[in-house]
């Protein structure tokens, strides 16, 4: 009886051992594939970027084929390979049993087991190491141990006067990196059409060397940085509740405990509208906007419902910039007419799409350079320039502020263009243009600010008087001096530590819906 129990236990142990080994193989392969796909499409990213985009993925108008490739590569292929290995070993052992070839010299068995163990370890360690390096796990762990907390420097925006408030148009340029102005590196200045429509001699201003904040680099990080004044941190940054604690769950709120641009504008009577070509539910953009003062968000489903022809869409993301900006002209016409009638201003925000890689060349775009990416960027800027010209012709620039800027630097993953030109470039910055009615364009904006300081800058461009010219971690670029005690007054290395910090106390409140400014 005892022998029978021992035999069953031994067999069970063998089965469990095989299951664990195959599980490790599957996990190692999945991590390897994940690292390869991330590097191909995005390059090196951060843990926060990965998790904040995984939470609300969209196969339709939110990456399209990339989503399906990721599912296939990270889940299906490793599973099939693992099952294939298991079946091959099973039938191989079965054949040897049938042929009476189960017994081997101990030395041969030891060598085979050692080789098998080494191969399994190589897959697991290789996959784990590649994935950890790709998503910046080391940086994430260092940030978790930072002595800084965003809450110690966060400034709640306080408007002291809105007498001079004006309409606002805010345009985010997908991957709008100013480095692409270099016609020697990229064949042409991709921003030339937009620069012609926003000349300094006409009164347009710009922040020289606008920087992407440390740890940013994707659309939602750019939007929240410039509209809330804080780095975007999500899953794993909180110690309590919050919208992002349930991976893959239905996101109900987004940084509800933080006062962002739309909140401030709505409180002062603005109508906030957002237009985007992609599906706004990707990365929960719609939840963020709807929860922060935007009364209307128009995206991919709206353009389909409006009867846009199929040729106006790209299958992976959404509506072309030509058609998006055509809708934007109609929208700004309606909003401006309503503002004149009611006396209440509007904020029209939008995000372009054509320059998102892999680029799609529409029939309105002529490829006149060696790279299709260069052409797509230039054609997108031509559409934005056309919108600016429309506003000028309609007289809207007389009472409407305009802020145009890239949402982040161009990503340079393994499948992206311009890796050689951008990887070692020593001054990668974000393209921007600012129009303030009545300004002569000769006033100096503080140079080398980062995206976090664009939040108070936008508020001031809209004509709102901001206490201390501070909001979030930022200080307005219109401020000639940085207040002592501000995050912007920190030494560069200390500021980098602050921005990188996971700041669990602050983000627990921010995501949990509590007032993040309250100590």
């Amino acid at each position: 009886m005892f022998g029978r129990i021992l035999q069953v236990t031994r067999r069970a142990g063998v089965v469990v051992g095989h299951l664990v080994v195959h599980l490790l193989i599957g996990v190692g392969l999945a991590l390897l594939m994940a690292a390869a796909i991330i590097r191909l499409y995005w390059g090196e990213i951060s843990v926060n970027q990965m998790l904040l985009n995984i939470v609300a993925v969209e196969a339709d108008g939110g990456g399209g084929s990339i989503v399906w490739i990721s599912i296939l590569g990270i889940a299906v292929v490793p599973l099939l390979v693992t099952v294939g290995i298991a079946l091959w070993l099973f039938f191989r052992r079965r054949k040897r049993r049938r042929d009476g070839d189960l017994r081997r010299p101990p030395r041969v068995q030891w060598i085979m087991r050692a080789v098998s163990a080494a191969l399994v370890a190589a897959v697991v360690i290789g996959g784990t190491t590649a994935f950890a390096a790709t998503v910046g796990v080391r940086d994430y762990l260092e940030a978790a141990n930072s002595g800084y907390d965003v809450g110690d420097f966060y400034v709640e925006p306080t408007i002291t006067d809105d007498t001079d408030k004006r309409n606002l148009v805010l345009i985010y340029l997908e991957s709008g990196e100013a480095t692409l102005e270099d016609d020697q590196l990229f064949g042409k200045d991709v921003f030339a059409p937009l620069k012609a429509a926003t000349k300094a001699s006409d009164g347009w201003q710009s922040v020289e060397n606008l920087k992407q904040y440390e740890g940013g680099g994707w659309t939602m990080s750019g939007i929240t940085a410039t509209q809330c004044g804080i780095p975007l941190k999500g899953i794993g940054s909180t110690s309590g509740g919050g919208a992002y604690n349930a991976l893959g769950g239905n996101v109900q709120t987004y940084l509800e405990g933080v006062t962002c641009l739309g909140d401030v504008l709505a409180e002062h009577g603005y109508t906030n509208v957002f237009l985007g070509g992609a599906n706004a539910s990707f990365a929960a953009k719609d939840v963020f906007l709807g929860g922060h003062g935007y009364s209307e968000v128009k995206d991919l489903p709206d353009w389909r419902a409006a009867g846009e022809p199929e040729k106006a869409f790209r299958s992976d993301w959404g509506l072309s910039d030509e058609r998006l900006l055509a809708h934007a002209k109609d929208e700004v016409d309606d909003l401006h007419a309503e503002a004149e009638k009611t006396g209440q201003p509007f904020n029209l925000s939008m995000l372009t799409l054509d320059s998102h890689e892999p680029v799609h060349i529409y029939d309105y775009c002529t490829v006149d350079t060696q790279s299709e990416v260069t052409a797509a960027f230039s054609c997108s800027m031509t559409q934005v320039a056309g919108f600016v010209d429309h506003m000028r012709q309609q007289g809207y620039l007389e009472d409407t502020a305009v802020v145009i800027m890239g949402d982040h630097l161009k990503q340079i993953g393994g499948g992206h263009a311009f890796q050689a030109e951008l990887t070692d470039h020593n001054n990668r910055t974000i393209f921007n243009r600012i129009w303030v009615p009545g300004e002569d364009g000769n006033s100096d904006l503080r140079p080398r600010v980062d995206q976090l300081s664009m939040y108070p800058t936008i508020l001031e461009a809209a004509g709102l008087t901001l206490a201390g010219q501070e909001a979030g971690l930022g200080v307005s670029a219109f401020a000639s001096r940085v207040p002592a005690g501000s995050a912007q007054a920190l030494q560069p290395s200390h500021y980098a530590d602050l921005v990188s910090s996971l700041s669990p106390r602050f983000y627990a409140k921010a995501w949990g819906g509590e007032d993040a400014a309250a100590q």
Side-chain angles (χ1 to χ4, degrees):
M1 185 63 167
F2 178 75
R4 175 69 176 169
I5 294 174
L6 186 61
Q7 186 179 21
V8 171
T9 302
R10 184 181 294 114
R11 287 180 178 176
V14 170
V15 170
V16 171
H18 285 163
L19 288 174
V20 170
V21 168
H22 288 103
L23 177 63
L24 290 173
I25 292 173
V27 170
L29 290 173
L31 291 174
L32 275 172
M33 290 297 292
I37 290 172
I38 291 170
R39 285 185 179 274
L40 176 64
Y41 287 107
W42 298 282
E44 291 186 9
I45 63 173
S46 67
V47 171
N48 279 298
Q49 179 178 353
M50 176 186 68
L51 295 176
L52 284 162
N53 283 316
I54 284 177
V55 169
V57 298
E58 276 292 337
D60 182 25
S65 59
I66 298 176
V67 175
W68 293 115
I69 289 172
S70 298
I71 292 173
L72 181 66
I74 299 172
V76 178
V77 170
L79 177 62
L80 291 178
V81 171
T82 303
V83 171
I85 292 173
L87 290 175
W88 177 75
L89 290 173
F90 172 77
F91 286 113
R92 180 170 174 272
R93 185 173 179 82
R94 186 177 179 182
K95 181 178 182 300
R96 287 179 54 219
R97 183 184 294 111
R98 187 175 62 246
D99 296 342
D101 188 29
L102 282 176
R103 297 189 63 81
R104 284 178 173 169
R107 183 180 179 185
V108 173
Q109 291 185 22
W110 183 88
I111 292 174
M112 292 188 66
R113 287 173 182 170
V115 171
S116 299
L119 290 174
V120 171
V123 170
V124 174
I125 295 173
T128 302
T129 302
F131 183 76
T134 299
V135 302
V137 169
R138 179 178 178 180
D139 293 337
Y140 186 80
L141 294 176
E142 289 179 355
N145 295 318
S146 172
Y148 285 96
D149 190 279
V150 167
D152 295 335
F153 293 87
Y154 178 82
V155 176
E156 181 77 7
T158 302
I159 303 302
T160 59
D161 187 7
D162 68 357
T163 305
D164 297 324
K165 64 184 178 182
R166 57 177 71 94
N167 304 319
L168 172 67
V169 169
L170 176 57
I171 305 175
Y172 290 100
L173 308 175
E174 171 59 47
S175 305
E177 178 168 345
T179 317
L180 299 178
E181 293 176 288
D182 190 335
D183 56 3
Q184 297 300 310
L185 279 178
F186 307 104
K188 66 188 300 185
D189 178 353
V190 303
F191 293 105
L194 185 52
K195 289 162 74 173
T198 57
K199 296 177 182 177
S201 58
D202 292 335
W204 288 83
Q205 302 168 270
S206 63
V207 175
E208 184 181 354
N209 294 321
L210 174 62
K211 309 296 288 186
Q212 178 176 288
Y213 79 84
E214 187 73 28
W218 70 102
T219 295
M220 282 307 296
S221 73
I223 291 177
T224 54
T226 55
Q227 295 202 22
C228 307
I230 59 172
L232 182 55
K233 312 286 183 181
I235 303 170
S237 300
T238 63
S239 57
Y244 273 87
N245 280 356
L247 183 61
N250 185 22
V251 179
Q252 299 294 329
T253 62
Y254 202 118
L255 294 176
E256 192 178 33
V258 178
T259 303
C260 298
L261 177 68
D263 300 313
V264 176
L265 297 181
E267 185 179 342
H268 290 271
Y270 281 73
T271 298
N272 296 306
V273 177
F274 178 88
L275 307 182
N279 196 322
S281 60
F282 175 71
K285 189 189 297 106
D286 55 348
V287 179
F288 168 75
L289 294 167
H292 288 283
Y294 282 79
S295 57
E296 197 167 10
V297 176
K298 295 184 179 181
D299 63 344
L300 179 59
D302 295 288
W303 311 134
R304 284 179 173 156
E308 285 288 345
E310 197 58 36
K311 68 176 184 178
F313 298 94
R314 51 185 289 183
S315 59
D316 55 351
W317 285 105
L319 189 68
S320 71
D321 286 347
E322 179 191 47
R323 295 305 305 149
L324 177 69
L325 273 300
H327 284 288
K329 291 174 185 177
D330 293 337
E331 192 73 40
V332 77
D333 289 346
D334 293 342
L335 288 170
H336 196 275
E338 184 66 18
E340 285 189 321
K341 183 169 63 176
T342 64
Q344 294 301 313
F346 66 84
N347 159 36
L348 175 60
S349 299
M350 65 191 85
L351 169 65
T352 65
L353 192 62
D354 284 9
S355 48
H356 196 299
E357 289 196 63
V359 296
H360 177 84
I361 302 299
Y362 293 94
D363 56 9
Y364 59 82
C365 183
T366 300
V367 178
D368 55 0
T369 60
Q370 289 186 339
S371 171
E372 286 190 342
V373 176
T374 299
F377 266 92
S378 180
C379 292
S380 176
M381 297 310 115
T382 300
Q383 302 307 315
V384 178
F387 176 79
V388 172
D389 288 338
H390 173 79
M391 291 188 65
R392 179 183 296 107
Q393 292 161 8
Q394 296 299 113
Y396 300 158
L397 295 184
E398 296 176 7
D399 59 11
T400 303
V402 182
V403 178
I404 305 172
M405 60 184 164
D407 59 347
H408 54 75
L409 297 177
K410 185 187 177 301
Q411 294 172 335
I412 47 174
H416 289 180
F418 311 139
Q419 290 185 71
E421 293 85 352
L422 294 175
T423 298
D424 296 322
H425 199 284
N426 60 8
N427 188 33
R428 299 182 63 190
T429 60
I430 296 174
F431 180 88
N432 68 98
R433 288 292 186 272
I434 299 173
W435 170 263
V436 179
E439 296 287 332
D440 58 11
N442 293 322
S443 59
D444 292 328
L445 297 178
R446 201 171 73 259
R448 302 194 69 81
V449 306
D450 69 9
Q451 291 172 302
L452 306 183
S453 285
M454 289 306 293
Y455 177 28
T457 303
I458 295 169
L459 287 173
E460 292 202 318
L464 301 175
T465 302
L466 184 62
Q469 298 185 278
E470 295 183 85
L473 297 185
V475 175
S476 172
F478 290 107
S480 58
R481 297 170 58 186
V482 173
S486 163
Q488 301 302 319
L490 292 171
Q491 292 294 321
S493 61
H494 295 167
Y495 179 70
D497 288 343
L498 170 65
V499 172
S500 300
S501 167
L502 296 189
S503 304
R505 289 186 291 113
F506 177 84
Y507 286 100
K509 293 180 179 179
W511 286 108
E514 300 178 50
D515 182 2
Q519 296 297 316

